[in-house]
């Protein structure tokens, strides 16, 4: 293991010392495709036909499949969606409800260990500022080619934000017990002059859970010796070109080194400044308000 570590260290030293490309004013652009897989069968969406399910997934495709651009230097990076013009009338799911949670640019500084996320939530702008969290990467010996670059494999265990929709899944539960509980509640509610209350078992969000941790597999190239990467990922001795994290895959499709027109990497500045924990509390409270409103409409509809 020590021999392997020494060989890798020597390789990185040669790459850093021998390249004139990565000067102080060096800048690069990496283009990524992000795709999250989601199975509607995992959620209680009712009895719908395969054709209808396909239509729903097609409408949600623009939310689950996106393209991003990472503009980076040795110290800073900005990761933002490469927005495409939509076809007339093609708002889809992500252009409606999904746009209420629109994520803007994400700024990272690997020297000052700072991360800033521009985030919109129901028309209000936030600046989520936090310390840049590092992953405890385990360096592997496996390699593969991504485009013209030789990449090394690294793995880590990552804590998952409790509101990260990409890892949300249906909570494991005995369906028979669930049905019995619902039937018992319906019988109880039928004795109440039509007043139906929304209980935890009726709340769709009570069926959703997010794992506390997930395994991350990353592929990085020492041929571009910067410890940058897409989204939250960084901290390897080379640009991260591919990430496999739970149900999400992020793959680099194009790289431009030292473009003729360099872009100024600026920190997002507009919005109410909050930490990630404070932002999560804001979202949680808003969801609770929405559930109460939903339950209230259900009761009024039955009066």
């Amino acid at each position: 293991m020590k021999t392997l570590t020494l060989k890798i260290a020597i390789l990185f030293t040669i790459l850093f010392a021998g390249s004139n490309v990565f000067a102080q004013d060096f800048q690069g652009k990496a283009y990524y495709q992000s795709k999250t897989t989601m199975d509607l069968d995992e959620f209680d969406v009712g009895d719908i036909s395969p054709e209808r399910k396909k239509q729903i997934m097609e409408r949600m495709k623009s939310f689950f499949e996106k393209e991003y651009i990472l503009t980076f230097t040795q110290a800073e990076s900005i990761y933002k969606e490469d927005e495409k013009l939509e076809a007339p009338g093609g708002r889809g799911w992500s252009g409606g409800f999904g746009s209420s949670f629109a994520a803007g640019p994400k700024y990272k500084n690997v020297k000052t260990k700072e991360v800033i996320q521009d985030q919109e939530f129901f028309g209000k702008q936030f600046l989520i500022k936090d310390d840049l969290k590092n992953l405890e990467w385990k360096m592997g010996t496996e390699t593969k080619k991504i485009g013209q670059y030789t990449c090394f494999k690294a793995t880590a265990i990552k804590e998952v934000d409790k509101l990260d929709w990409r890892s949300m899944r249906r909570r494991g539960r005995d369906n028979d017990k669930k049905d019995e509980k619902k039937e018992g509640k319906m019988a109880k509610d039928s004795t109440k002059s039509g007043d139906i209350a929304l209980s935890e078992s009726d709340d769709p969000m009570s069926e959703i859970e997010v794992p506390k941790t997930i395994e991350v597999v990353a592929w990085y190239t020492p041929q571009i010796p910067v410890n940058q990467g897409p989204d939250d990922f960084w901290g390897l001795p080379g640009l991260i070109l591919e990430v496999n994290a739970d149900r999400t895959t992020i793959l680099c499709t194009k790289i431009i080194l030292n473009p003729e027109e360099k872009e100024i990497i600026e920190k997002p500045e507009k919005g109410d400044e909050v930490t990630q924990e404070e932002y999560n509390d804001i979202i949680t409270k808003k969801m609770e308000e929405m559930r109460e409103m939903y339950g209230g409409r259900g009761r009024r509809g039955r009066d």
Side-chain angles (χ1 to χ4, degrees), residues 1-2 37 62 86 155 159 203 209 226 241 249 285:
M1 184 63 186
K2 289 183 179 179
T37 59
S62 58
E86 294 185 6
T155 59
E159 291 185 2
D203 176 11
E209 67 179 355
V226 297
L241 300 190
T249 297
K285 289 177 182 177

Side-chain angles (χ1 to χ4, degrees), residues 34-101:
S34 175
K35 183 176 181 179
T36 300
T37 59
M38 191 69 68
D39 187 358
L40 287 182
D41 289 336
E42 196 172 318
F43 299 91
D44 188 8
V45 294
D47 186 15
I48 61 175
S49 66
E51 183 178 345
R52 177 57 178 160
K53 187 187 302 181
K54 184 178 179 181
Q55 291 174 350
I56 294 173
M57 291 305 297
E58 188 63 32
R59 291 186 64 189
M60 297 174 71
K61 185 177 180 180
S62 58
F63 189 71
F64 293 136
E65 299 180 17
K66 293 181 178 292
E67 296 181 2
Y68 293 89
I69 302 174
L70 178 73
T71 304
F72 59 91
T73 64
Q74 294 283 1
E76 298 178 291
S77 69
I78 194 84
Y79 184 68
K80 56 187 177 182
E81 184 177 350
D82 186 12
E83 297 180 350
K84 307 294 184 182
L85 290 176
E86 294 185 6
R91 281 173 59 85
W93 189 87
S94 67
F97 183 76
S99 62
S100 300
F101 304 88

Side-chain angles (χ1 to χ4, degrees), residues 32-33 43 51 66 72 82 89 93 103 111 124 131 146 155 161 212-213 221 228 241-242 262 266 285 293 297-298:
Y32 293 88
Q33 290 181 343
F43 299 91
E51 183 178 345
K66 293 181 178 292
F72 59 91
D82 186 12
W93 189 87
K111 285 190 175 180
K124 188 171 183 178
D131 295 331
I146 297 179
T155 59
D161 187 278
K212 292 183 178 180
T213 61
T221 177
Q228 301 280 6
L241 300 190
E242 182 178 338
K262 288 186 169 57
E266 296 180 329
K285 289 177 182 177
M293 290 174 62
R297 286 198 299 271

Side-chain angles (χ1 to χ4, degrees), residues 113-127:
K113 302 298 187 292
E114 180 182 19
V115 59
I116 304 174
Q117 173 72 63
D118 180 319
Q119 182 73 50
E120 181 184 342
F121 180 63
F122 278 98
K124 188 171 183 178
Q125 205 71 28
F126 291 92
L127 278 181

Side-chain angles (χ1 to χ4, degrees), residues 246-270:
D246 197 30
R247 299 175 172 184
T248 298
T249 297
I250 306 173
L251 177 64
C252 183
T253 58
K254 183 173 71 171
I255 296 174
I256 300 174
L257 299 179
N258 279 326
E260 292 183 6
E261 295 185 10
K262 288 186 169 57
E263 180 179 330
I264 298 175
I265 298 177
E266 296 180 329
K267 298 180 182 180
E269 295 180 344
K270 295 181 180 180

Side-chain angles (χ1 to χ4, degrees), residues 95-196:
F97 183 76
S99 62
S100 300
F101 304 88
K106 175 175 287 187
Y107 169 88
K108 298 197 299 281
N109 190 313
V110 299
K111 285 190 175 180
T112 62
K113 302 298 187 292
E114 180 182 19
V115 59
I116 304 174
Q117 173 72 63
D118 180 319
Q119 182 73 50
E120 181 184 342
F121 180 63
F122 278 98
K124 188 171 183 178
Q125 205 71 28
F126 291 92
L127 278 181
I128 305 174
K129 288 189 175 184
D130 253 319
D131 295 331
L132 188 58
K133 296 179 178 62
N134 197 7
L135 296 176
E136 295 183 5
W137 295 105
K138 294 182 179 179
M139 318 289 276
T141 58
E142 190 176 347
T143 64
K144 72 173 181 178
K145 281 275 193 177
I146 297 179
Q148 68 187 55
Y149 297 97
T150 299
C151 296
F152 289 81
K153 183 180 180 180
T155 59
I157 300 299
K158 182 179 185 293
E159 291 185 2
V160 183
D161 187 278
K162 65 180 181 180
L163 296 178
D164 190 341
W165 61 268
R166 294 171 297 185
S167 291
M168 288 182 178
R169 59 202 70 197
R170 188 177 182 184
R171 194 183 304 276
R173 184 182 285 189
D174 187 318
N175 289 330
D176 290 336
K177 290 183 179 179
K178 176 184 173 184
D179 291 340
E180 289 174 5
K181 188 173 182 180
K182 284 188 175 181
E183 289 173 4
K185 178 187 178 299
M186 289 174 65
K188 182 179 179 181
D189 286 340
S190 65
T191 64
K192 297 183 180 179
S193 65
D195 185 14
I196 304 297

